[in-house]
Structure formats: C-alpha cells, structure tokens
Amino acid sequence: RGASAPTTPAKTTHKTLQHQQHVARLIEDRRRREEEKRDEHERAHLIDPELRLRVRKAAGPVEPLEEKLERVTADKRLSGQRVTKQQEQDLRKIRERVSRRPLLMEQEDTIVRARRRALAGVREALERAGVQNVESHFADVELDELERAAERAEARGNAALYAVRAASAAVAAAASAAEFETY
C-alpha cells in the first residue's frame, strides 16, 4: 500500500463529447430565452416618450399632491367662512324681522280692531241693504264690541274736531295779528 499512482483522466469518447455539446447548447438556449424574456419585460415596461408626451398633454398639467392638498384645504376653509358669514347675515335678518314684528299682545289688539272693523262693515252693509232690525243679526258680545268701537270713534272724532277748532283758532289769531301789524 504505498502511494497511489496518479490517475489520468479518462479519455473522452465521441458520445460523451456529443452529450456535453448538447447540454451546453441547452444551457445557452435557456440563457438566451431568459435574456429575451427579460428584454421583452423591460420593453413592455418602457414607455414610448412620444406616447408619454401625448398622455401628459391629454391629462393636462399635473399638480403636486402637497400643493393640491393645500389648495383644497384653503378652498374648504374659505367655503366654511362664506357659509358662516351667510348664516350670520341670515340670523341678523331674522332678528331684524322679529324686532319689527309687533308683540303678541299687540298682534292680539290688531286682531280685535280688525274684528271690530269687520263687524262695523257688516252692520253698515246690512243697514244699506235696508235690513230691518240689524241688531238681531249680531250676538250680544258683538253688539257690545260695536258700541265700544262707536264710543272710541266718537271720542277720536271729538278729539279730531277739537284739534281742527284749535288749529283754525290759531290761524285766525295769526291772521288778526298780521292785520294788527299792518295798521
């Protein structure tokens, strides 16, 4: 058992050589196909510059996201301010309308006066039509209201008459004073 003899490589046979060449061709074909796939994939993901330009023109200018968010936020803020201002104006108008409206007791007084005027109008229409016994067409409460309205009208009439007499007296006094000054 001594040292082993150097082994010499086995001689390559023609069949072995053909097999190796076949395997080499398969490997080379596989590499080429993989490379073609990779190139095709890259070409598919590459965008034609002319096409890219046409799409950008069709889509219009692209605004950066931060600028768009700032613009939208500012628009919302302004819109909110406009709405608030409009609501305040509406509230101010409502307050003005309410302040101009008569109080509930004044409204009631207006309704009572309107009722009295309506009763008086009906009474006058019946009298003009020549209806006999006009009072029989009214309830006692309505007759009382008509009497109160007549008394108030007479009082107002007397006050108006007094005012007219006072005014004519003042005019007469002024005229006599003017006559006195001319003499």
Side-chain angles (χ1 to χ4, degrees), residues 11-18:
K11 204 173 187 185
T12 311
T13 61
H14 181 63
K15 185 76 172 165
T16 306
L17 189 59
Q18 280 180 341

Side-chain angles (χ1 to χ4, degrees), residues 7-46:
T7 56
T8 57
K11 204 173 187 185
T12 311
T13 61
H14 181 63
K15 185 76 172 165
T16 306
L17 189 59
Q18 280 180 341
H19 180 68
Q20 288 174 350
Q21 288 173 350
H22 175 72
V23 169
R25 273 194 308 270
L26 287 176
I27 292 173
E28 183 62 32
D29 284 345
R30 185 183 309 151
R31 282 187 190 149
R32 190 173 23 81
R33 281 193 310 268
E34 286 175 359
E35 192 172 315
E36 284 175 1
K37 276 186 181 179
R38 192 171 41 250
D39 289 346
E40 185 179 327
H41 185 68
E42 286 176 8
R43 276 193 308 269
H45 289 292
L46 279 179

Side-chain angles (χ1 to χ4, degrees), residues 103-162:
L103 298 175
L104 186 58
M105 58 189 168
E106 292 170 339
Q107 287 177 359
E108 188 176 308
D109 185 48
T110 304
I111 292 170
V112 167
R113 279 186 277 147
R115 185 169 191 268
R116 284 181 188 152
R117 281 194 305 270
L119 286 172
V122 169
R123 182 181 198 175
E124 289 174 15
L126 289 173
E127 287 171 352
R128 277 193 311 261
V131 173
Q132 299 293 324
N133 196 9
V134 172
E135 273 81 30
S136 67
H137 294 286
F138 294 98
D140 289 339
V141 174
E142 293 170 338
L143 289 172
D144 291 343
E145 278 189 51
L146 285 170
E147 278 183 41
R148 281 193 300 270
E151 289 170 1
R152 284 194 181 114
E154 185 180 324
R156 277 194 304 271
N158 289 341
L161 182 61
Y162 175 74

Side-chain angles (χ1 to χ4, degrees), residues 44-71:
H45 289 292
L46 279 179
I47 299 171
D48 182 28
E50 182 181 332
L51 180 63
R52 180 180 297 217
L53 183 63
R54 287 174 43 200
V55 168
R56 280 193 179 165
K57 281 183 181 178
V62 176
E63 185 178 12
L65 184 61
E66 289 180 19
E67 289 178 15
K68 183 176 182 179
L69 288 175
E70 287 177 20
R71 182 180 48 79

